């Protein structure tokens, strides 16, 4: 992914996501996951389009097992939107951009 989507870790999750002043979409992914790679450019576009309204980050589930376990992530890509530190929306799988826009709009409106 390009520079608009930030990599986070188990260690930075609380600061980057739970304590964020704006909603955060977290992409739970892994380098070997084909659908994760296919959705990456879409997330990058959304990060630009919704800059300042929602932050988009990604966490590698292989390198950071604690956070996915805590939120019950079993399949990837798994996209969870947090608002005010709480799980607000969840989408599993490589879905069309329009579906992500719908979920983002629900959370930021």
């Amino acid at each position: 992914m390009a520079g608009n989507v930030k990599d986070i870790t188990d260690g930075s999750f609380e600061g980057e996501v739970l304590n964020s002043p704006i909603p955060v979409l977290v992409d739970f992914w892994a380098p070997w996951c084909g659908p994760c790679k296919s959705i990456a450019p879409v997330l990058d576009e959304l990060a630009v389009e919704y800059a300042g309204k929602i932050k988009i980050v990604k966490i590698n589930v292989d390198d950071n097992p604690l956070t996915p376990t805590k939120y019950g992530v079993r399949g990837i890509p798994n996209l969870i939107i947090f608002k005010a530190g709480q799980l607000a929306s969840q989408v599993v799988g490589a879905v069309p951009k329009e579906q992500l826009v719908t979920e983002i709009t629900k959370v930021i409106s």
Side-chain angles (χ1 to χ4, degrees):
M1 279 188 220
N4 300 313
V5 176
K6 183 176 183 177
D7 280 293
I8 63 167
T9 64
D10 283 337
S12 65
F13 184 84
E14 185 175 347
E16 291 286 346
V17 178
L18 302 181
N19 296 332
S20 175
I22 61 173
V24 183
L25 186 157
V26 181
D27 173 21
F28 291 89
W29 76 289
W32 48 263
C33 167
C36 297
K37 290 179 184 165
S38 71
I39 202 169
V42 173
L43 294 174
D44 211 44
E45 286 174 28
L46 292 170
V48 173
E49 291 170 23
Y50 289 92
K53 296 180 183 149
I54 192 166
K55 178 165 57 169
I56 300 181
V57 299
K58 64 179 185 163
I59 185 167
N60 181 326
V61 298
D62 289 342
D63 296 341
N64 302 280
L66 300 176
T67 304
T69 301
K70 181 176 180 181
Y71 292 99
V73 172
R74 289 183 183 87
I76 54 173
N78 195 319
L79 308 168
I80 301 179
I81 302 176
F82 291 86
K83 183 175 185 178
Q86 301 296 313
L87 194 153
S89 179
Q90 185 168 12
V91 178
V92 179
V95 297
K97 182 178 179 182
E98 296 74 36
Q99 187 175 341
L100 293 175
V101 167
T102 300
E103 294 301 320
I104 290 169
T105 304
K106 279 189 226 170
V107 174
I108 64 174
S109 58

